[in-house]
Amino acid sequence: MNYAEALAYLDGFVNYERAMPDKAGRSTFSLDRILELSARLGEPHRRFRSVHVAGTKGKGSTVIFAENIARAAGLSVGTYTSPHLIDLRERIRLDGRMVSEELLARTLSGCRDAYDAVRESASDRRLTYFEALTHLAFQIFADRPVDLAMVEVGMGGRLDATNIITPLVSVITPISLDHVRQLGNTLAEIAGEKAGIAKPGVPLVVGEQPPEAFAAIRGKAEAAGAAPLMALGRDFRIEPGERRPGEWRRMTLCTPARTYRDLTVRMLGAHQLGNAAAAVAAMELAAERRGLALPEEAVRRGLEAAEWPGRLEVARREPALTVLDGAHNADSAGKLLASVDAEFPGRSPLVLIFAAAADKDVDGML
């Protein structure tokens, strides 16, 4: 296949990102299909080391902070995120760059027979677009191979296709209400699904959480044997410092390993400090488990270099300041408002252009 043919082939899979069926619940999802696919193709998910990140908000940002720290430390890094904004290849990156069209098409061509076989053997519960892309990313990371892969959960955690990996470190970013039909109606239920990524003997880093969400995560981690559990505010902490609105923030971060003073975070919004802190804690644990040094300079350069489109992204400043953000539940809409006030004070009037998928809490966001 060439690249255009590869895109057309992938578009033939059922895609819950475009339209989630009204009746789709937890029973819709399973790891059976991706495990069968992986078994047919030599289990590539077992051939690279990884950091696995779940949560409602901040997953992608945390992954990007960790990716940049790892690259600054001299590691070869694969990154898998979702969804993409413009180009499918945004989801699968090698050392900070989208994979080439040729590599994606060539890898998919080599896997196509197995994809077709799984699709035919599970006609009642078809292989999905996300499952196909998840395997494709894992195949690329294994074939290269990369020193470390940063893997973002798509939705939930326990039954997410990415959850076939056993990472060096697992991370759970802040939990709020989203995908309630699939994950549950309470923070505790949703947190329990997200904490399904916890693995025996694998450290779990937890970002700032509502009390009921943290209690659920801690219970799942203990049941799974995940250890140690490192929580923001308890085991590592942030002291916010100087900030330049619309440009950068500084913080001091205290972890069990080190105190980092005056770290610069250029991604906008106070909530990004927590995501950055979780990424540092995760990378410290990953480096420790690999027997690698994590220089303080790599942490500094990685956090400062991190950028992520669609997160309080300043698209242009003239003729009018235009900011793009992917907030898609009520909690993140509130953080967006607070961030706009903090990062761009005194702006009036403000004009909001808003769009959302039909299954979102539109009333809550508005």
Side-chain angles (χ1 to χ4, degrees), residues 185-208:
N185 294 307
T186 68
L187 290 176
E189 284 185 288
I190 293 172
E193 287 293 313
K194 306 283 187 183
I197 69 168
K199 302 289 193 308
V202 176
L204 179 62
V205 174
V206 181
E208 185 177 5

Side-chain angles (χ1 to χ4, degrees), residues 44 47-49 75-78 94-95 137-149:
R47 293 172 19 221
F48 57 86
R49 291 182 169 89
L75 299 180
S76 169
V77 184
L94 294 172
D95 296 327
F138 291 175
Q139 191 73 52
I140 288 170
F141 298 159
D143 288 348
R144 179 158 186 183
V146 297
D147 296 322
L148 190 62

Side-chain angles (χ1 to χ4, degrees), residues 280-294:
V280 174
M283 284 304 303
E284 285 184 345
L285 288 165
E288 179 183 336
R289 297 196 74 198
R290 285 284 318 273
L292 301 173
L294 182 65

Side-chain angles (χ1 to χ4, degrees), residues 226-299:
L229 187 152
M230 288 187 56
L232 178 60
R234 187 189 71 178
D235 305 295
F236 60 107
R237 60 187 175 84
I238 298 167
E239 297 174 5
E242 182 184 2
R243 74 182 183 90
R244 183 174 294 170
E247 293 189 27
W248 48 253
R249 289 175 180 266
R250 288 200 175 125
M251 68 173 176
T252 293
L253 172 61
C254 302
T255 72
R258 187 181 293 153
T259 295
Y260 303 87
R261 301 191 182 280
D262 292 326
L263 295 173
T264 299
V265 176
R266 294 193 178 276
M267 290 174 64
L268 301 182
H271 55 283
Q272 293 294 3
L273 297 185
N275 296 331
V280 174
M283 284 304 303
E284 285 184 345
L285 288 165
E288 179 183 336
R289 297 196 74 198
R290 285 284 318 273
L292 301 173
L294 182 65
E296 180 173 341
E297 184 59 25
V299 171

Side-chain angles (χ1 to χ4, degrees), residues 3 89 92 94 97-106:
Y3 184 62
R89 297 175 299 132
I92 306 173
L94 294 172
R97 296 173 178 263
M98 295 189 297
V99 295
S100 68
E101 294 181 357
E102 188 274 334
L103 176 59
L104 187 146
R106 172 162 45 88

Side-chain angles (χ1 to χ4, degrees), residues 282-346:
M283 284 304 303
E284 285 184 345
L285 288 165
E288 179 183 336
R289 297 196 74 198
R290 285 284 318 273
L292 301 173
L294 182 65
E296 180 173 341
E297 184 59 25
V299 171
R300 291 187 176 279
R301 288 192 288 118
L303 294 186
E304 188 168 357
E307 296 179 337
W308 195 219
R311 280 72 174 176
L312 280 176
E313 177 188 357
V314 178
R316 65 183 183 186
R317 295 185 180 272
E318 298 295 338
L321 177 68
T322 305
V323 179
L324 308 178
D325 192 82
H328 59 263
N329 67 6
D331 179 70
S332 56
K335 287 184 170 62
L336 172 60
L337 286 176
S339 297
V340 168
D341 286 342
E343 301 293 351
F344 312 107

